[in-house]
Every structure is written in structure tokens, then in C-alpha cells.
Amino acid sequence: MTEAWGPGDDEPRPHRGPVKVRVPAKINLHLGVGPLRPDGFHELNTVYHAISLFDELTARRGDTLTLTMEGEGTGELELDESNLIIRAARALAARGRVPAYARLHLRKSIPLAGGLAGGSADAAATLIACDMLWGLGMSRDDLAEVGAELGSDIPFLLHGGTALGTGHGEAVSPILARPTTWHWVVAIADGGLSTPAVYRELDRLRDDSWPPAPLGGPDRLMTALRQRDPEVLGAALGNDLQPAALSLRPQLAEVLKAGHEAGAITGLVSGSGPTCVFLAADAAHAQEVAAALTAAKVCRAAVTARGPQPGARVI
Ligand code: ATP
């Protein structure tokens, strides 16, 4: 006899939990920022790239919504309704018409306000974890729609890989290049930089230039990605926010110089900074550059990472 109610065999069912999700940080291989528009936004043209620096979110069944954490930013990051994890859980529950009940725990490695989209990564992980815990069975595209309302980088962190982002960065299309692993060194700074403050500084710096800076496209970078040569990729990396981040945090010039002296192919500020990333030729070269950056004492920590990585995934 077939049951007339409840999910059928193929339909998703609530999960007993725990559901553990791993999510990568992002860097921008190209970040083109258009002029400030009258609506206060900047149009972006970016190439996102997910790297092997991960946060982990675990969701368990509960009879309220709670959040705890350990790792980077503990004691500093608010765990209340302002946290993107709580906001993502509530937005998903509203969309799925279920109560937002879960006990969520974050293990954080992505530095706060580092230009690596850690908050968006956590929101993406929450969407994947709670979708499974609550048995909603939503597609990644549907989850991306919920995520885009909360932050422009969230759709990318659901998909991962290397992808083109347009609009405010929320319209994502994957870049199909032959599989290549790129080796990076991530120089983590002491303290963060506020993304809105970096955009304001960019506008201030650009106020003096006429005609307004055009929105640069990623054509050169797209061609470089196809060539699979780190030297070629290195020459095509670019970030329009870098002058603004350097203006607000002049010490970053020392970090970039130290990476150059350590033999990195190239280095740039990640997104709005203050994290700097350096491209290396291979895994051994990345280790050498990381060791030299650590010895130069120009950053809080220098770690190696590989990209591209898949987006938020249950592990
Ligand atoms: P982006 O590159 O997307 O602008 P970022 O990497 O510079 O971001 P995030 O760590 O993503 O910075 O977060 C910026 C701010 O968002 C934090 O300072 C914090 O106030 C807020 N925030 C809310 N929830 C989170 C979260 N789960 N993790 C990190 N930050 C969060």
C-alpha cells in the first residue's frame, strides 16, 4: 500500500543530524569595479576562485536556533541575529516554510573581514546544511537565489571552482577551463578591513580622475586561465580595489614587497583586503614563499592553499 501522506521514497526527508559542511574561502583573480552609480552601488566584473582555506559548519537538530563557534574570530564575531549564519538559516526556513530550529556550530579558519568572503562562505554552508537537516531538497540554484538576497558572494560559494561574477557579483557563471591546480600563499593580516570603507576610499581616490575609471573586463585573465602557465596567469591578475586597500593600510605594500622578494610569481590584495595572496609555481615553491613570508614577519600568518576547490559540500 502506498502512503497518501509524507515524502515518497525519492523525496528528501529531514535528516537526524549532525550534518557537517565544509566551505572554501574565495579570492578574486580579477576584480573590476565600475564607477559609483546613483543607487550607491558599483557594478562588478570579477573572476572568483575558491581556495583550500575552509570553514566548517555543523547543523544538529534542536528546538530553537542557536549558534556557537571556535577558531578564528571567536569572542569577536557576534553570534546573534546579525550573524550571516543565523540570517541564512532564517531566510531558508522562511523559503521552505519550516521552523528555523537547529543547533549550529562553526569551526572558523577564514579570517574575519579579510577580503576572503568568510561570512558569505558561512552563509553558503548554512544553506547547504539546513537544507539537508530540514529535508527541503532545494536545488543549488534555488539556494543561490536565497543566498543572493543576503550577500553577493554567496551564490559563488555554493558553486565554487573558478567563475565569472557580474552585477554585484551575485550573477555567477562557471568558467570551463581544463583542470589545473594553482598554488597560492595566503598572507593573513592582523585585523580586518571594512569592505564598505575600502569602496568609499576607492571612490575618493577616483574623484580626482577624469574621465571616470571604466569597468575593466576579464578577457586577459580568461585567456591566461586557458594557458595553464603560472607566469601567464600571474601577469593577468588584477584588483581595482588594491590601491584603496593600500591607501587605508599602507603596511600592505611591505607584505607585497616581501612576497616579491621571496620569489612569488606575483602578489595582490585579495578582494577588499587586507589579506594578500601570492601565486607560486608549484606546491614546493608555495611552501618556500610561505616560509620566507613568515620569516619576514610582515603578516600574522602565511599559509599555502590550492585552487580551484568545490563550493560548500556535505562531508
Ligand atoms: P567580503 O570580501 O565578502 O566583503 P570579508 O572577507 O572582507 O568579506 P567577512 O569575514 O566575510 O569579510 O565579514 C565581514 C563582516 O561581516 C564581519 O566583520 C562581521 O561583522 C560580519 N559577519 C556576519 N556574519 C559573519 C560570519 N559568519 N563570519 C564573518 N563575518 C560575519
Side-chain angles (χ1 to χ4, degrees):
M1 195 178 94
T2 315
E3 286 185 48
W5 64 89
D9 279 350
D10 299 339
E11 285 179 47
R13 295 160 190 270
H15 194 285
R16 288 171 53 213
V19 180
K20 190 184 269 193
V21 173
R22 191 172 85 159
V23 64
K26 68 85 194 156
I27 60 175
N28 304 79
L29 305 182
H30 167 89
L31 180 50
V33 181
L36 178 64
R37 299 188 318 205
D39 64 4
F41 283 100
H42 298 83
E43 194 176 342
L44 300 186
N45 208 321
T46 188
V47 176
Y48 290 115
H49 183 69
I51 59 167
S52 58
L53 179 61
F54 300 106
D55 279 359
E56 249 177 48
L57 186 97
T58 306
R60 294 184 169 82
R61 305 204 69 80
D63 42 22
T64 56
L65 181 61
T66 60
L67 173 61
T68 51
M69 77 172 288
E70 64 188 291
E72 277 285 331
T74 305
E76 215 180 308
L77 180 62
E78 300 287 354
L79 300 176
D80 58 11
E81 293 292 322
S82 68
N83 195 292
L84 276 165
I85 294 175
I86 298 288
R87 294 175 57 205
R90 292 217 185 276
L92 183 68
R95 175 74 167 250
R97 297 170 198 272
V98 293
Y101 293 163
R103 285 184 293 136
L104 305 174
H105 182 74
L106 172 66
R107 256 180 80 188
K108 195 155 183 63
S109 303
I110 306 175
L112 283 193
L116 297 165
S120 300
D122 297 344
T126 306
L127 295 175
I128 296 285
C130 290
D131 174 69
M132 180 174 264
L133 189 74
W134 297 335
L136 301 178
M138 283 172 58
S139 69
R140 236 160 243 270
D141 285 346
D142 285 344
L143 294 176
E145 214 179 283
V146 177
E149 303 268 312
L150 301 168
S152 310
D153 296 339
I154 299 174
F156 170 69
L157 289 154
L158 287 163
H159 287 96
T162 305
L164 190 64
T166 51
H168 303 145
E170 80 294 350
V172 173
S173 34
I175 294 172
L176 302 170
R178 280 188 296 167
T180 309
T181 298
W182 303 102
H183 296 271
W184 303 95
V185 177
V186 182
I188 297 169
D190 263 324
L193 265 180
S194 143
T195 305
V198 175
Y199 274 94
R200 278 197 300 275
E201 181 66 1
L202 179 71
D203 296 333
R204 193 185 68 78
L205 295 173
R206 281 178 169 178
D207 268 353
D208 297 334
S209 66
W210 187 261
L215 175 57
D219 300 356
R220 186 157 169 241
L221 185 91
M222 303 285 256
T223 310
L225 278 170
R226 273 183 231 117
Q227 294 186 44
R228 309 172 89 192
D229 177 342
E231 295 284 346
V232 175
L233 182 71
L237 298 173
N239 178 3
D240 282 358
L241 287 179
Q242 180 160 313
L246 284 168
S247 167
L248 294 178
R249 189 71 68 83
Q251 307 91 296
L252 294 183
E254 296 299 315
V255 184
L256 294 173
K257 184 162 163 262
H260 178 71
E261 285 169 3
I265 291 171
T266 196
L268 80 168
V269 170
S270 174
S272 52
T275 307
C276 293
V277 290
F278 298 90
L279 181 61
D282 52 34
H285 185 215
Q287 290 283 2
E288 278 170 35
V289 173
L293 273 168
T294 304
K297 295 192 165 62
V298 287
C299 52
R300 173 157 65 93
V303 296
T304 60
R306 277 178 294 175
Q309 298 290 330
R313 289 283 180 284
V314 176
I315 52 171

